[in-house]
Amino acid sequence: MPPVEVGETFTETRTFRPEDVDQFAALSGDDQARHTEPDADGRRMVQGLLTASLLTSIGGDLEVLASRMQLQFQRPVYTGETLVCELAVASVDPRADGGVDIVGDVTVKRVDRGDETEQADTAAADSAVGDAVGTVVLEATVEGLIRE
């Protein structure tokens, strides 16, 4: 892994499917009806920690051993929506053992609602409630260690 520098950004994009929600429900036990039964639009709400797995994917790529995650869920996420997660490196501190402590600021945004045919009709109503494309759905601060 090359050194990580302050200001660098890393991204992960994902669209959660009903199968992803089912697998996470089986693994985590978070099988509330909102996750297992479709809403009036045929969508299912994605579990919050499944949404947060976007940032753990970036951490895995960077080989970070996470020590702390502070998550702030802003809006619900539904199956079929495409999300992009961006981790911006806020600090990197070398350690005596050769590793580095890293802190990153994370933002997850909705980039596609997954309902292109209805998007034009609902854009005005959605923007009034802050739930349109580009809306932040999760913010986080993560801390961890990258071992050399």
Side-chain angles (χ1 to χ4, degrees):
M1 171 80 225
V4 176
E5 297 181 14
V6 171
E8 274 190 278
T9 59
F10 301 90
T11 61
E12 177 77 21
T13 302
R14 187 174 304 153
T15 304
F16 291 105
R17 304 165 304 158
E19 303 83 45
D20 300 321
V21 172
D22 290 339
Q23 289 174 353
F24 191 81
L27 181 65
S28 68
D30 188 357
D31 59 359
Q32 300 174 56
R34 71 186 77 214
H35 303 307
T36 60
E37 297 175 16
D39 67 7
D41 295 324
R43 309 170 307 167
R44 305 218 327 251
M45 186 183 293
V46 177
Q47 295 93 339
L49 290 179
L50 180 55
T51 302
S53 72
L54 285 161
L55 64 109
T56 64
S57 179
I58 294 171
D61 291 344
L62 297 175
E63 299 182 17
V64 173
L65 298 173
S67 58
R68 181 173 172 222
M69 294 182 191
Q70 181 179 0
L71 307 171
Q72 295 177 322
F73 297 97
Q74 305 293 327
R75 308 292 291 171
V77 171
Y78 295 92
T79 54
E81 295 178 336
T82 301
L83 306 174
V84 64
C85 175
E86 181 178 278
L87 181 143
V89 178
S91 70
V92 177
D93 296 311
R95 296 168 46 112
D97 63 7
V100 294
D101 288 319
I102 180 175
V103 176
D105 295 319
V106 177
T107 304
V108 179
K109 290 183 180 180
R110 180 180 294 113
V111 296
D112 176 12
R113 290 202 52 214
D115 60 359
E116 298 300 325
T117 58
E118 297 177 24
Q119 192 166 347
D121 296 337
T122 60
D126 285 346
S127 63
V129 296
D131 202 16
V133 171
T135 298
V136 173
V137 298
L138 171 64
E139 293 180 304
T141 301
V142 297
E143 298 177 16
L145 163 68
I146 300 176
R147 295 190 186 263
E148 296 296 319

